[in-house]
Amino acid sequence: AAAAAAAAAAAGGERKRLAPPFVQVQAAAAAAAAAASPLPVKTMSISKETCEAILKAENNEGLKEAADKLATEVKEAGVASLEGEDGLLKTLDEALGSSNVVAREGGALLFAALSKKIKGAALPFLVERLDAVIANAGDKKSSDLRKTSSK
């Protein structure tokens, strides 16, 4: 076997390494099982009413509860519910960039709730929005917004 490998290397080619037979069988069985019985796709959607409650809030009462509710819905539906036209990231971006100080506070609370409840799975989506949260931590008009964004 060593001589064959040396001859193949000398000829300019390398020997193709195959996975052990038991690994090949396991991979084939997994592929067959996936094709025969696909996992059900979760179709749970994010509450539009709760998103609107954050975006159109006039005071900060109930913002934390709304943010926690949305984060729980994402945790149950999966991080795929963050993306897309109906995804929660659209609401988060609107809230963090809003001219309404209370909506920005709601966005910061939503950011924190997603970070705490979903943890690492949400990180790739949240890192892009961290600069908006940090910018809100220096808001000159609202001490509540500064305090929420600083946490």
Side-chain angles (χ1 to χ4, degrees), residues 4-135:
E14 288 192 26
R15 232 173 119 185
K16 185 176 179 184
R17 301 192 90 197
L18 296 175
F22 69 90
V23 174
Q24 292 174 356
V25 170
Q26 287 175 339
S37 174
L39 295 174
V41 177
K42 294 181 181 180
T43 57
M44 182 177 177
S45 62
I46 302 302
S47 168
K48 300 285 183 218
E49 295 81 24
T50 310
C51 290
E52 289 297 316
I54 287 179
L55 292 174
K56 296 183 178 181
E58 294 181 13
N59 58 46
N60 58 5
E61 290 179 27
L63 279 180
K64 184 170 180 4
E65 291 79 14
D68 286 340
K69 179 181 177 191
L70 288 171
T72 300
E73 289 177 8
V74 171
K75 186 174 183 177
E76 291 171 1
V79 292
S81 62
L82 289 171
E83 295 183 300
E85 189 175 309
D86 295 333
L88 189 59
L89 291 179
K90 182 178 175 185
T91 300
L92 180 59
D93 290 339
E94 286 180 35
L96 289 173
S98 176
S99 60
N100 178 351
V101 175
V102 179
R104 288 199 319 257
E105 184 180 350
L109 287 166
L110 180 55
F111 184 94
L114 289 169
S115 300
K116 288 176 186 171
K117 290 197 186 237
I118 303 170
K119 300 182 177 150
L123 189 61
F125 303 101
L126 297 179
V127 167
E128 298 174 19
R129 290 144 181 91
L130 185 58
D131 59 340
V133 175
I134 292 171

